Amino acid sequence: MNDALVTRLVQLLDCVEPFLPPKRPPIDWSSDTAALWVRHPLGGYLVPVSPRDSLSMASLVGIERQREALLRNTRAFMAGRPSNHALLWGARGCGKSSLVRALINDLGADGLRLIQVDRHDLVSLPALVNELRDQPWRFIVYCDDLSFEGSDDAYKALKSVLDGTLTGPPENVLLYATSNRRHLLPESMEDNQATKVVGQELHHGDAVEEKISLSDRFGLWLSFYPFDQATFLEACRYWVTELGSEWGDEAERAALRFATQRGVRSGRAAWQFAAQWLSE
């Protein structure tokens, strides 16, 4: 190889190097239980992170039905039994994200691993799933606050991985998502105008079918609603006592005032009240 060619190759590498993903050591899944997926034009890479908190499944008051359903599904997945991708949808602050985070605290020691993917990075989801395919661990790939706009094509990559490719996701990967929207895509009056009644059957238009088809790929739907007053007070009592204070009539009245002022009754509001109560 002559000197001129070597010089040109070095120049080419100098131009390409800024576009290459940073070189990182591989994640040690024997010690790392959670990671973030970062998209890159040439694929992506995983960044290990520590669990955000020590929240456990048992501490999530008011969503016992959803908690047990997700726990059963996840345990079946870890045991190699049939299990479903899960969509947790509904009112804000009612424990959707907390429920997924608590899974890693409760089941991480049993081999469960959690990877969070931002909605904007879903186009590289097939690359991530392929990277996990031959790992000996069980992975929940998690997308928080998932929703798409009408012109957003990122949902097509998600559809494909869920149930659209020839091979599908590997048996050691399950997808969980949280959203305020049940169907993940905006629904307009114009879409419904193409819906027709044929005989005794309701036939949706193509636009509606396209939007429903994404959420249909999640076999487990768990819905979340604002707490009623009794459930909200139960959650407040749990967090007040858990954080080291006493629960009584004065705390109950303060909790009701807090909910009225905020205009919401939820698990998040209960924790926020408890934190405020202890600081006063």
Side-chain angles (χ1 to χ4, degrees):
M1 186 179 294
N2 59 48
D3 292 343
L5 181 57
V6 170
T7 300
R8 292 187 64 184
L9 287 173
V10 170
Q11 291 172 342
L12 177 62
L13 289 173
D14 288 340
C15 293
V16 170
E17 190 172 11
F19 298 98
L20 296 176
K23 189 174 182 179
R24 295 177 177 273
I27 289 185
D28 181 6
W29 287 117
S30 63
S31 57
D32 295 316
T33 58
L36 301 177
W37 174 252
V38 180
R39 182 178 58 148
H40 188 274
L42 297 180
Y45 55 91
L46 289 163
V47 178
V49 293
S50 300
R52 170 175 152 180
D53 48 43
S54 58
L55 189 71
S56 69
M57 300 289 279
S59 65
L60 296 172
V61 178
I63 52 172
E64 288 79 9
R65 176 184 60 82
Q66 298 92 329
R67 182 183 70 196
E68 293 307 313
L70 191 67
L71 199 53
R72 282 196 305 271
N73 189 68
T74 307
R75 283 177 171 158
F77 165 64
M78 294 182 67
R81 301 196 304 272
S83 53
N84 280 306
H85 305 297
L87 174 62
L88 289 67
W89 71 276
R92 67 189 190 279
C94 288
K96 301 184 296 294
S97 302
S98 298
L99 201 53
V100 178
R101 293 203 317 272
L103 281 173
I104 200 65
N105 293 326
D106 281 21
L107 301 178
D110 298 327
L112 184 66
R113 299 296 180 259
L114 182 67
I115 299 173
Q116 183 166 351
V117 181
D118 188 83
R119 178 180 67 83
H120 300 290
D121 294 337
L122 285 174
V123 292
S124 62
L125 187 59
L128 168 61
V129 169
N130 189 60
E131 184 173 324
L132 302 176
R133 187 176 298 275
D134 297 323
Q135 294 282 350
W137 309 92
R138 293 272 162 173
F139 295 94
I140 297 293
V141 175
Y142 163 56
C143 190
D144 187 37
D145 198 19
L146 182 62
S147 65
F148 301 99
E149 299 306 319
S151 58
D152 192 344
D153 286 338
Y155 74 92
K156 293 180 180 178
L158 178 59
K159 282 179 63 176
S160 178
V161 169
L162 283 169
D163 192 20
T165 61
L166 184 62
T167 59
E171 58 88 25
N172 67 329
V173 176
L174 210 58
L175 279 79
Y176 286 179
T178 67
S179 179
N180 297 126
R181 292 174 175 168
R182 185 178 61 173
H183 291 311
L184 303 176
L185 289 158
E187 300 174 73
S188 65
M189 178 66 74
E190 181 180 354
D191 294 337
N192 287 303
Q193 288 175 350
T195 300
K196 300 177 181 178
V197 177
V198 179
Q200 300 296 318
E201 296 183 352
L202 184 68
H203 293 262
H204 293 295
D206 291 343
V208 173
E209 290 288 352
E210 171 70 10
K211 293 178 178 181
I212 293 176
S213 68
L214 176 56
S215 57
D216 274 354
R217 282 170 162 79
F218 292 91
L220 177 62
W221 283 9
L222 296 175
S223 53
F224 293 72
Y225 300 96
F227 288 179
D228 59 24
Q229 181 168 295
T231 304
F232 174 70
L233 289 175
E234 181 185 357
C236 288
R237 179 191 59 77
Y238 173 86
W239 284 116
V240 166
T241 55
E242 182 72 12
L243 295 177
S245 186
E246 294 185 1
W247 179 258
D249 292 342
E250 185 180 354
E252 181 174 314
R253 288 192 295 269
L256 292 175
R257 286 196 301 272
F258 184 87
T260 301
Q261 292 167 356
R262 297 295 296 270
V264 62
R265 292 193 296 251
S266 66
R268 179 188 297 160
W271 190 94
Q272 291 170 341
F273 163 74
Q276 177 179 296
W277 179 253
L278 267 70
S279 67
E280 292 178 347

